[in-house]
Coordinates of all heavy atoms in Angstrom, one line a residue:
P1 N -13.3 -6.5 0.5 CA -13.4 -5.3 -0.3 C -13.6 -4.0 0.6 O -14.5 -4.0 1.4 CB -14.5 -5.5 -1.3 CG -14.6 -7.0 -1.3 CD -14.3 -7.5 0.0
Q2 N -12.9 -3.0 0.3 CA -13.1 -1.7 1.0 C -13.8 -0.7 0.1 O -13.8 -0.8 -1.1 CB -11.7 -1.1 1.4 CG -10.8 -2.1 2.2 CD -11.3 -2.3 3.5 OE1 -11.6 -1.4 4.3 NE2 -11.5 -3.6 3.9
D3 N -14.4 0.3 0.7 CA -15.1 1.3 -0.1 C -14.1 2.1 -0.8 O -12.9 2.3 -0.4 CB -16.0 2.2 0.8 CG -15.2 3.0 1.8 OD1 -14.9 2.5 2.9 OD2 -14.8 4.1 1.5
L4 N -14.5 2.6 -2.0 CA -13.6 3.4 -2.9 C -13.2 4.7 -2.3 O -12.1 5.2 -2.6 CB -14.2 3.5 -4.3 CG -14.5 2.2 -5.0 CD1 -14.9 2.6 -6.5 CD2 -13.2 1.4 -5.1
G5 N -14.0 5.3 -1.5 CA -13.6 6.5 -0.8 C -12.4 6.3 0.1 O -11.5 7.2 0.1
S6 N -12.4 5.2 0.8 CA -11.2 5.0 1.6 C -10.0 4.7 0.8 O -8.9 5.0 1.2 CB -11.5 3.8 2.6 OG -11.5 2.6 1.9
M7 N -10.2 4.1 -0.4 CA -9.1 3.8 -1.3 C -8.5 5.1 -1.8 O -7.3 5.3 -1.8 CB -9.5 2.9 -2.5 CG -8.4 2.5 -3.4 SD -9.1 1.6 -4.8 CE -9.6 0.1 -4.0
W8 N -9.3 6.0 -2.2 CA -8.9 7.3 -2.7 C -8.1 8.1 -1.6 O -7.1 8.6 -1.9 CB -10.0 8.1 -3.2 CG -9.7 9.5 -3.7 CD1 -10.0 10.7 -3.0 CD2 -8.9 9.8 -4.9 NE1 -9.4 11.7 -3.7 CE2 -8.8 11.3 -4.9 CE3 -8.4 9.1 -5.9 CZ2 -8.1 11.9 -5.9 CZ3 -7.7 9.8 -6.9 CH2 -7.6 11.2 -6.9
Y9 N -8.7 8.0 -0.4 CA -8.0 8.7 0.7 C -6.6 8.1 1.0 O -5.6 8.8 1.1 CB -8.9 8.5 2.0 CG -8.2 9.0 3.2 CD1 -8.1 10.3 3.6 CD2 -7.6 8.1 4.1 CE1 -7.5 10.8 4.7 CE2 -6.9 8.5 5.2 CZ -6.9 9.8 5.5 OH -6.2 10.2 6.7
E10 N -6.5 6.7 1.0 CA -5.3 6.1 1.3 C -4.2 6.4 0.2 O -3.0 6.5 0.5 CB -5.5 4.6 1.5 CG -4.3 3.9 2.1 CD -4.0 4.4 3.5 OE1 -4.9 4.4 4.3 OE2 -2.9 4.8 3.8
M11 N -4.6 6.4 -1.0 CA -3.7 6.6 -2.1 C -3.1 8.0 -2.1 O -2.0 8.3 -2.6 CB -4.3 6.4 -3.5 CG -4.8 5.0 -3.8 SD -3.4 3.8 -3.8 CE -3.9 2.9 -2.3
N12 N -3.8 9.0 -1.5 CA -3.4 10.4 -1.4 C -3.2 10.9 0.0 O -3.4 12.1 0.2 CB -4.4 11.2 -2.2 CG -4.5 10.8 -3.7 OD1 -3.6 11.1 -4.5 ND2 -5.5 10.0 -4.0
N13 N -3.0 10.0 0.9 CA -2.9 10.4 2.3 C -1.6 11.0 2.7 O -0.7 10.3 3.3 CB -3.3 9.2 3.2 CG -3.3 9.6 4.7 OD1 -3.4 10.7 5.1 ND2 -3.1 8.5 5.5
H14 N -1.4 12.3 2.4 CA -0.2 13.0 2.8 C -0.5 14.5 2.7 O -1.3 14.9 2.0 CB 1.0 12.6 2.0 CG 0.9 13.0 0.5 ND1 1.3 14.2 0.0 CD2 0.4 12.3 -0.5 CE1 1.1 14.2 -1.3 NE2 0.5 13.1 -1.7
R15 N 0.2 15.2 3.5 CA 0.1 16.7 3.5 C 0.6 17.2 2.1 O 1.5 16.6 1.5 CB 0.9 17.3 4.6 CG 0.5 16.8 6.0 CD 1.4 17.3 7.1 NE 1.2 16.7 8.4 CZ 1.7 15.5 8.8 NH1 2.6 14.9 8.0 NH2 1.4 15.0 9.9
P16 N 0.1 18.4 1.7 CA 0.5 18.9 0.4 C 2.1 19.0 0.2 O 2.6 18.8 -0.8 CB -0.2 20.2 0.3 CG -1.4 20.1 1.1 CD -1.0 19.2 2.3
Y17 N 2.7 19.4 1.3 CA 4.2 19.6 1.3 C 4.9 18.3 1.6 O 6.2 18.3 1.4 CB 4.6 20.7 2.3 CG 4.3 20.3 3.8 CD1 5.2 19.5 4.4 CD2 3.2 20.7 4.5 CE1 5.0 19.1 5.7 CE2 3.0 20.4 5.8 CZ 3.9 19.5 6.4 OH 3.7 19.2 7.7
D18 N 4.3 17.3 2.0 CA 4.9 16.1 2.4 C 5.1 15.1 1.3 O 4.2 14.4 0.9 CB 4.1 15.4 3.5 CG 4.8 14.5 4.4 OD1 6.1 14.4 4.3 OD2 4.2 13.7 5.2
R19 N 6.3 15.0 0.7 CA 6.6 14.2 -0.4 C 6.7 12.7 0.0 O 7.3 12.4 1.0 CB 7.9 14.6 -1.1 CG 8.0 16.1 -1.4 CD 6.8 16.6 -2.2 NE 6.5 15.9 -3.4 CZ 7.1 16.2 -4.6 NH1 8.0 17.1 -4.7 NH2 6.7 15.5 -5.7
T20 N 6.0 11.9 -0.8 CA 6.0 10.4 -0.5 C 6.4 9.5 -1.7 O 6.2 9.9 -2.8 CB 4.5 10.0 0.0 OG1 3.6 10.4 -1.1 CG2 4.2 10.8 1.3
I21 N 6.8 8.3 -1.3 CA 7.1 7.3 -2.3 C 6.0 6.2 -2.0 O 5.9 5.7 -0.9 CB 8.5 6.6 -2.1 CG1 9.6 7.7 -2.2 CG2 8.7 5.5 -3.1 CD1 9.7 8.3 -3.5
S22 N 5.2 5.9 -3.0 CA 4.2 4.9 -2.9 C 4.6 3.5 -3.4 O 5.5 3.4 -4.3 CB 2.9 5.3 -3.6 OG 2.4 6.5 -3.0
Y23 N 4.0 2.5 -2.8 CA 4.3 1.1 -3.3 C 3.2 0.2 -2.8 O 2.6 0.4 -1.8 CB 5.7 0.7 -2.8 CG 5.8 0.7 -1.2 CD1 5.8 -0.5 -0.5 CD2 6.1 1.9 -0.6 CE1 5.9 -0.4 0.9 CE2 6.2 2.0 0.8 CZ 6.1 0.8 1.5 OH 6.3 0.8 2.9
V24 N 3.0 -0.9 -3.6 CA 2.0 -1.9 -3.3 C 2.7 -2.8 -2.3 O 2.0 -3.3 -1.3 CB 1.6 -2.7 -4.5 CG1 0.7 -3.9 -4.1 CG2 0.8 -1.8 -5.5
E25 N 4.0 -3.1 -2.5 CA 4.7 -4.0 -1.5 C 6.2 -3.7 -1.7 O 6.6 -3.5 -2.8 CB 4.4 -5.5 -1.8 CG 4.5 -5.9 -3.3 CD 3.8 -7.2 -3.6 OE1 3.6 -8.0 -2.7 OE2 3.5 -7.3 -4.8
C26 N 6.9 -3.8 -0.6 CA 8.4 -3.8 -0.7 C 8.9 -5.1 -0.1 O 8.1 -6.1 0.0 CB 8.9 -2.6 0.1 SG 8.6 -2.6 1.9
H27 N 10.1 -5.1 0.3 CA 10.7 -6.4 0.8 C 9.9 -6.9 2.1 O 9.9 -8.1 2.4 CB 12.1 -6.2 1.1 CG 12.4 -5.4 2.3 ND1 12.6 -4.0 2.2 CD2 12.5 -5.6 3.7 CE1 12.9 -3.5 3.4 NE2 12.8 -4.5 4.3
D28 N 9.3 -5.9 2.8 CA 8.6 -6.3 4.1 C 7.5 -7.3 3.8 O 7.2 -8.2 4.7 CB 8.0 -5.1 4.7 CG 9.0 -4.2 5.4 OD1 10.0 -4.7 5.8 OD2 8.7 -2.9 5.4
Q29 N 6.8 -7.2 2.7 CA 5.8 -8.2 2.4 C 6.3 -9.4 1.7 O 5.4 -10.3 1.4 CB 4.7 -7.5 1.5 CG 3.9 -6.5 2.1 CD 4.6 -5.2 2.4 OE1 5.4 -4.7 1.6 NE2 4.3 -4.6 3.6
C30 N 7.5 -9.6 1.5 CA 8.0 -10.7 0.6 C 9.2 -11.5 1.2 O 9.9 -12.1 0.5 CB 8.5 -10.1 -0.7 SG 7.3 -9.1 -1.6
I31 N 9.4 -11.4 2.5 CA 10.5 -12.1 3.1 C 10.1 -13.0 4.3 O 9.1 -12.8 4.9 CB 11.6 -11.1 3.6 CG1 11.1 -10.2 4.7 CG2 12.2 -10.2 2.5 CD1 12.1 -9.3 5.4
N32 N 10.9 -14.0 4.5 CA 10.8 -15.0 5.6 C 9.4 -15.5 5.7 O 8.8 -15.5 6.8 CB 11.3 -14.3 6.9 CG 12.8 -14.2 6.9 OD1 13.5 -14.9 6.3 ND2 13.3 -13.2 7.7
G33 N 8.8 -15.9 4.6 CA 7.5 -16.6 4.7 C 6.3 -15.7 4.7 O 5.2 -16.2 4.6
D34 N 6.5 -14.3 4.7 CA 5.4 -13.4 4.6 C 4.9 -13.5 3.1 O 5.7 -13.8 2.2 CB 5.8 -12.0 4.9 CG 4.6 -11.2 5.3 OD1 3.4 -11.7 5.2 OD2 4.8 -10.0 5.7
D35 N 3.6 -13.3 2.9 CA 3.0 -13.5 1.6 C 3.0 -12.2 0.8 O 2.5 -11.2 1.2 CB 1.6 -14.0 1.7 CG 1.5 -15.4 2.3 OD1 2.5 -16.1 2.1 OD2 0.5 -15.7 2.9
A36 N 3.6 -12.3 -0.4 CA 3.5 -11.2 -1.4 C 2.0 -11.0 -1.8 O 1.2 -11.9 -1.6 CB 4.3 -11.5 -2.6
M37 N 1.7 -9.9 -2.3 CA 0.3 -9.6 -2.6 C -0.3 -10.6 -3.6 O -1.5 -11.0 -3.5 CB 0.1 -8.2 -3.1 CG 0.5 -7.1 -2.2 SD -0.6 -7.1 -0.7 CE 0.2 -5.7 0.2
I38 N 0.4 -10.9 -4.6 CA -0.1 -11.8 -5.6 C -0.4 -13.2 -5.1 O -1.3 -13.9 -5.4 CB 0.7 -11.9 -6.9 CG1 -0.1 -12.4 -8.1 CG2 2.0 -12.6 -6.7 CD1 0.5 -12.2 -9.4
W39 N 0.5 -13.6 -4.1 CA 0.3 -14.9 -3.5 C -1.0 -14.9 -2.6 O -1.8 -15.9 -2.6 CB 1.5 -15.3 -2.7 CG 1.3 -16.7 -2.1 CD1 0.9 -17.0 -0.8 CD2 1.7 -18.0 -2.7 NE1 0.9 -18.4 -0.6 CE2 1.4 -19.0 -1.8 CE3 2.2 -18.3 -4.0 CZ2 1.6 -20.3 -2.1 CZ3 2.4 -19.6 -4.3 CH2 2.1 -20.6 -3.3
R40 N -1.3 -13.8 -2.0 CA -2.5 -13.6 -1.2 C -3.7 -13.7 -2.1 O -4.8 -14.2 -1.7 CB -2.5 -12.3 -0.4 CG -1.4 -12.1 0.6 CD -1.3 -10.7 1.0 NE -0.1 -10.4 1.7 CZ 0.1 -10.2 3.0 NH1 -1.0 -10.4 3.8 NH2 1.3 -9.9 3.6
L41 N -3.6 -13.3 -3.3 CA -4.7 -13.3 -4.3 C -4.9 -14.6 -4.9 O -6.0 -15.1 -5.1 CB -4.4 -12.2 -5.3 CG -4.6 -10.8 -4.9 CD1 -4.0 -9.9 -6.0 CD2 -6.1 -10.5 -4.8
L42 N -3.7 -15.3 -5.3 CA -3.8 -16.5 -6.1 C -3.5 -17.8 -5.4 O -4.0 -18.9 -5.7 CB -2.9 -16.4 -7.3 CG -3.1 -15.2 -8.2 CD1 -2.2 -15.2 -9.4 CD2 -4.5 -15.1 -8.7
G43 N -2.6 -17.7 -4.4 CA -2.2 -18.9 -3.7 C -1.5 -19.9 -4.5 O -0.9 -19.6 -5.5

């Protein structure tokens, strides 16, 4: 578990003018044997 201050920072870590697309996981976390987030949680 991480502190919530770091969570808030990470969720909003971009310059005001810097537009971003956020995601919990994309294909990078779900291909060729890498574990999707829910598998890391539940197994």
